[in-house]
Amino acid sequence: MEKVDIERVVASAPAYYHNYIRKAGEGDLLESMESQIEEARDFFGIQCHDLRDFRYAPGKWTPTEVLGHLTDSERIFQYRAVRFARNDKTELPGYEENDYVAAANFTARGMESLLDEFEYMRRAGIVLLSSLTEEERWRSGIANGNPISVYALFYANVGHFNHHVGVVRVKSEKLQ
């Protein structure tokens, strides 16, 4: 994929996504998406194996719940992206991630199942992004009351992964 001006991507998203987009970095977006699959398997499947149900503070998510949240976000961001890429002008609602995690019961599932689901969703996103023209990638729509481009959704998703893995990594290292 060709190099994308990250500041143009930032400008095509609401302010609350700017940090996530910048955390995605300026490298090849498809390569970043691909590499995060193995990073997820290594981090959640191996490094967090004994900490899968650890909460670093009351009300904070466990690594298992973080992984489930990342997968839910993949699904939602990809749904928004395909709608906007296809020029669907329907305004899409936001979602309350804490309610989703509370309703999902991720901790009752095996980590391998959650990792497989994340990988399937991420690979679907890679195929979707790869199939889009440059014009389609810059199309936008309204989600949660704010305009956002298809590119911004994919960059935010990669940065969102980096953010959550970074938080879990820092909190779990304090235990060792």
Side-chain angles (χ1 to χ4, degrees), residues 23-171:
K23 282 186 178 197
E26 295 193 29
D28 186 291
L29 182 59
L30 289 168
E31 287 178 13
S32 294
M33 291 174 71
E34 182 72 37
S35 70
Q36 284 181 339
I37 295 168
E38 284 310 309
E39 184 178 355
R41 288 204 174 273
D42 176 64
F43 183 69
F44 291 104
I46 298 169
Q47 295 178 38
C48 288
H49 183 266
D50 295 334
L51 301 173
R52 62 171 273 127
D53 297 321
F54 165 71
R55 290 183 199 283
Y56 65 87
K60 296 299 182 179
W61 296 337
T62 67
T64 306
E65 290 168 330
V66 169
L67 179 57
H69 165 67
L70 290 170
T71 304
D72 279 351
S73 296
E74 288 282 326
R75 221 177 238 111
I76 291 165
F77 283 28
Q78 288 178 37
Y79 174 74
R80 291 173 178 175
V82 76
R83 298 271 309 254
F84 300 158
R86 304 295 189 250
N87 259 340
D88 185 336
K89 299 301 181 193
T90 306
E91 187 168 330
L92 301 177
Y95 81 103
E96 178 47 57
E97 64 272 4
N98 288 311
D99 292 345
Y100 273 53
V101 170
N105 199 20
F106 293 123
T107 57
R109 291 181 53 194
M111 188 62 83
E112 193 62 31
S113 168
L114 290 165
L115 285 164
D116 287 346
E117 185 179 4
F118 174 79
E119 180 175 351
Y120 298 144
M121 289 308 307
R122 177 52 68 91
R123 290 204 185 284
I126 290 168
V127 171
L128 174 60
L129 182 60
S130 297
S131 74
L132 300 176
T133 66
E134 186 71 7
E135 177 190 341
E136 291 167 329
R137 292 173 184 173
W138 283 112
R139 287 181 183 158
S140 62
I142 306 293
N144 198 27
N146 295 286
I148 188 166
S149 73
V150 171
Y151 255 139
L153 288 164
F154 280 101
Y155 272 92
N157 216 13
V158 168
H160 179 247
F161 176 94
N162 290 338
H163 165 76
H164 279 292
V165 168
V167 169
V168 174
R169 189 179 311 276
V170 166
K171 298 300 182 180

